[in-house]
Amino acid sequence: MTIATPPPGHRGAPSGTTSAWLRVVLGAVVLAGLLLSGTAPAASAHVPTTDGTSVIRQDGAAVRYTLELDYDTLTKAAGLGALPRDTKDAEHTAFLASHRAGLATYLSDRLTVTLDGSPCPAELGDTGITKRQRFLYARLLLTYRCPGAGSGEFTVRYGVFSEADAIGAEHTNMVDYELGGSGGSDVFDTGHRELRAGHAAASPGAARSDGPESSWSPTGRFASLGLEHILGGIDHVLFLVLLLLGAEGWRSVLRLATSFTVAHSVTLALAVLGWVDVPTEIVEPLIALSIVYVAVENITRGESRHRVLVVFGFGLLHGLGFAGALDFTDDFSGRLLVSLLSFNLGIELGQLAIVTVAFPLILLARRRSWSTLAHIGTAAAVGVIGLVWFVERLLPSGGAA
């Protein structure tokens, strides 16, 4: 095997004796990577999450709430039991219909709507299923009957899949609402479980989205969601670390980061807007394979003159992966664009944080005599983990994203 010439800053190229040691170390690292990948929870490459959507529309004194949630997680949290993995769609639909009372009980104190502080009684109507990518979602239609003419301040409190349910995963729910004469997009998650809209919500900090000041909170939450997604996505982090490991200097980092940013921004936007739809079964294995490719290139020949183009191609894949965290229900609009840009900003901030922390450490390590061993060993270990992820993602699976 040909060992790559280390980037500038390394002390010494590998001699014949060093090359022999490199092969021994490389073999040990590959073995350690295999053991780590087979036993560590990180092999899943992402923090366990579930997602959902909320479409909230006011119709006079009634509020119609269409809620979509991961099917298996919902039935588990509501205490309805689980169906076999080979259950047909019609059976999934019938199961929800037969357990409508149980679902209504579960949601009664976890999803509430009030108007000027007065509760709006809820009624669970139609139930059904829908599929996005390879995942199955339960679709529930709730109608809230509010007192009076339906004017005033609406408050939606969202407690679905809270810590008390012990579902073993973080939960986010994308919200598209039109209430009290205002509309917008928002995110329900662990740190934000309340939405206010209507006449009394015009004060600073409210969730209305009809002005730059009032739309700041949802904007910040989408940026936070993007930041969490890239930092919580171990595969994206390892890909960036490998790029930094093979970069020759700050100019190289700038070229690679720009190429990656432009590429993933393009496919993120196209996928979120629904103009590009590539199945997760294709995207996720290819993201893992991108890690393997860059790791092998770092070991065998270092940064090639074509790496910027290669990174651009892989960035297109990672953008499709980022899009999996978003699921907007409304058509293209100004508020959707703001939410999308905010999410992408969060991704860029996370990427900047990784570069700012990791690359100076890499430059510092290159001044040490053991830098070549560290370079080869790190690339090999990450490459093996990427290969294991590639194989895992080719295997059929179910459950929540």
Side-chain angles (χ1 to χ4, degrees), residues 42-302:
S44 64
H46 287 274
V47 175
T49 62
T50 69
D51 65 342
T53 62
S54 293
V55 179
I56 309 172
R57 296 288 184 267
Q58 181 186 356
D59 181 11
V63 175
R64 307 193 188 284
Y65 197 127
T66 302
L67 177 67
E68 293 186 1
L69 297 169
D70 177 79
Y71 189 99
D72 292 336
T73 307
L74 174 62
T75 57
K76 173 186 175 183
L80 306 182
L83 295 175
R85 295 184 63 177
D86 59 352
T87 301
K88 300 184 184 309
D89 290 350
E91 294 172 312
H92 278 122
T93 302
F95 184 80
L96 290 180
S98 65
H99 289 82
R100 187 173 298 171
L103 291 170
T105 300
Y106 172 75
L107 294 173
S108 61
D109 59 351
R110 290 174 173 83
L111 188 56
T112 62
V113 176
T114 61
L115 176 59
D116 291 331
S118 299
C120 303
E123 177 185 352
L124 176 60
D126 291 340
T127 60
I129 62 171
T130 185
K131 288 185 176 180
R132 294 198 297 272
Q133 300 288 0
R134 57 179 174 171
F135 300 110
L136 182 67
Y137 292 81
R139 185 180 67 253
L140 312 172
L141 176 60
L142 297 104
T143 301
Y144 295 83
R145 306 289 180 182
C146 298
S151 61
E153 180 186 30
F154 288 89
T155 302
V156 180
R157 292 185 175 87
Y158 185 89
V160 177
F161 298 167
S162 64
E163 293 83 353
D165 291 325
I167 63 172
E170 296 181 1
H171 176 63
T172 59
N173 189 289
M174 310 293 295
V175 185
D176 173 33
Y177 70 94
E178 292 180 4
L179 284 173
S182 65
S185 299
D186 211 329
V187 181
F188 288 135
D189 56 21
T190 303
H192 175 64
R193 292 189 175 275
E194 186 175 285
L195 169 69
R196 294 177 182 270
H199 299 313
S203 57
R208 294 181 66 176
S209 63
D210 46 353
E213 184 179 19
S214 61
S215 65
W216 168 246
S217 285
T219 299
R221 281 189 285 276
F222 277 104
S224 176
L225 185 63
L227 180 64
E228 292 173 3
H229 189 69
I230 188 170
L231 296 182
I234 303 174
D235 47 0
H236 304 305
V237 172
L238 290 184
F239 180 79
L240 287 173
V241 169
L242 284 174
L243 293 182
L244 298 175
L245 194 65
E248 296 180 350
W250 283 107
R251 288 186 179 180
S252 175
V253 169
L254 181 60
R255 290 195 304 270
L256 296 174
T258 301
S259 178
F260 184 69
T261 297
V262 171
H264 78 63
S265 298
V266 169
T267 47
L268 170 62
L270 293 177
V272 168
L273 295 173
W275 298 344
V276 171
D277 184 12
V278 183
T280 303
E281 296 92 326
I282 296 176
V283 173
E284 292 298 327
L286 290 178
I287 288 177
L289 205 57
S290 72
I291 295 173
V292 177
Y293 178 91
V294 178
V296 171
E297 189 175 62
N298 279 351
I299 295 171
T300 57
R301 60 177 181 174

Side-chain angles (χ1 to χ4, degrees), residues 185 269 272-273 328-342:
S185 299
V272 168
L273 295 173
F328 292 107
T329 56
D330 54 342
D331 296 327
F332 181 78
S333 63
R335 68 194 190 199
L336 185 150
L337 183 61
V338 170
S339 301
L340 175 59
L341 291 175
S342 302

